[in-house]
Amino acid sequence: GEDVEQSLFLSVREGDSSVINCTYTDSSSTYLYWYKQEPGAGLQLLTYIFSNMDMKQDQRLTVLLNKKDKHLSLRIADTQTGDSAIYFCAERDRRSSASKIIFGSGTRLSIRP
Amino acid sequence: DVKVTQSSRYLVKRTGEKVFLECVQDMDHENMFWYRQDPGLGLRLIYFSYDVKMKEKGDIPEGYSVSREKKERFSLILESASTNQTSMYLCATGSSGDTQYFGPGTRLTVL
């Protein structure tokens, strides 16, 4: 079945780049997402990429998609304290027409001074 | 802007109580979802609804039921709350082919 995996924790120094990695199993996924969850809040869509793209850049965020290895990454340039959050990788459940999404377990990003 | 609201941010209930969690959206989305979030387990889908009065089980429906009498409102019901249902509950909404938009969550504690 479909599965999305990501590491649970990442710690980076303020000002450095953060790279959060994710692997997925459904090679026919059409949409892949990154969500951000700040403490005590719901999930917020951060960015997404279509499966026919290799890269998407949006200000400090860069998403890289390697379809061959089923690997997705999120790079945050110049990481700031406000980037502290849990980041969820997710893929569209292709079997469902009801916009079902399969989420990874989330990566908690902590920033050290 | 999509607005998804949940009836409570924090809730404390006793074992055996019936618990209602309510979610309301203002975007006329046909699909609505209930998840629970636990540390290290990510989000797990409890139930979802793709139309009024229509529902489908998610990955962990046991101990829960849902109700969707109006398009904008989706309720999660714990018939008899148990301590292992202590969790963060997240509601989401979306149109088919679109992403999901989340509410702020309800942190439920069952004593």
Side-chain angles (χ1 to χ4, degrees):
Chain A
E2 287 79 9
D3 200 9
V4 178
E5 294 189 355
Q6 51 185 133
S7 55
L8 291 181
F9 300 100
L10 177 66
S11 175
V12 298
R13 195 178 301 275
E14 188 174 2
D16 287 352
S17 292
S18 306
V19 180
I20 304 171
N21 294 302
C22 165
T23 58
Y24 59 97
T25 55
D26 186 357
S27 58
S28 60
S29 285
T30 52
Y31 292 85
L32 294 136
Y33 306 95
W34 284 104
Y35 284 82
K36 177 182 181 182
Q37 184 183 34
E38 295 181 350
L43 275 69
Q44 174 191 3
L45 180 66
L46 201 57
T47 186
Y48 64 91
I49 189 167
F50 294 114
S51 59
N52 62 357
M53 299 168 66
D54 296 326
M55 185 182 90
K56 180 178 181 181
Q57 188 150 6
D58 183 4
Q59 298 182 335
R60 291 191 298 122
L61 305 178
T62 304
V63 179
L64 294 177
L65 175 60
N66 181 331
K67 289 185 286 293
K68 177 174 166 291
D69 295 337
K70 298 178 198 168
H71 183 268
L72 184 72
S73 68
L74 173 70
R75 178 177 179 270
I76 305 172
D78 187 24
T79 309
Q80 303 297 308
T81 54
D83 295 322
S84 291
I86 301 175
Y87 291 82
F88 290 90
C89 173
E91 63 174 344
R92 169 80 61 81
D93 184 346
R94 194 178 57 86
R95 300 164 302 170
S96 169
S97 60
S99 67
K100 279 178 68 182
I101 293 176
I102 300 166
F103 290 88
S105 54
T107 299
R108 184 180 294 274
L109 175 64
S110 63
I111 316 301
R112 54 184 195 275
Chain B
D1 276 357
V2 176
K3 191 167 183 188
V4 183
T5 57
Q6 295 185 226
S7 47
S8 306
R9 292 300 303 272
Y10 300 94
L11 209 53
V12 180
K13 295 292 181 181
R14 296 202 177 277
T15 301
E17 280 192 80
K18 190 168 186 176
V19 182
F20 292 87
L21 302 182
E22 197 164 71
C23 176
V24 179
Q25 50 109 351
D26 68 352
M27 285 303 292
D28 202 36
H29 287 159
E30 61 268 24
N31 303 316
M32 296 186 76
F33 306 82
W34 275 107
Y35 297 89
R36 65 177 280 176
Q37 181 182 14
D38 301 287
L41 296 178
L43 273 69
R44 292 182 291 169
L45 182 63
I46 303 171
Y47 266 99
F48 69 100
S49 168
Y50 50 91
D51 202 350
V52 175
K53 297 191 188 293
M54 305 303 286
K55 60 187 179 186
E56 277 196 31
K57 293 179 180 179
D59 300 317
I60 51 162
E62 296 78 19
Y64 303 94
S65 62
V66 290
S67 172
R68 189 147 178 223
E69 296 297 318
K70 293 184 178 181
K71 191 173 186 179
E72 67 271 18
R73 197 177 296 265
F74 191 35
S75 300
L76 179 70
I77 304 153
L78 287 67
E79 294 290 342
S80 177
S82 62
T83 55
N84 63 12
Q85 291 178 310
T86 291
S87 188
M88 169 74 100
Y89 289 88
L90 292 164
C91 173
T93 177
S95 288
S96 294
D98 193 9
T99 185
Q100 291 182 16
Y101 301 88
F102 283 80
T106 296
R107 187 167 291 282
L108 172 67
T109 301
V110 182
L111 302 175

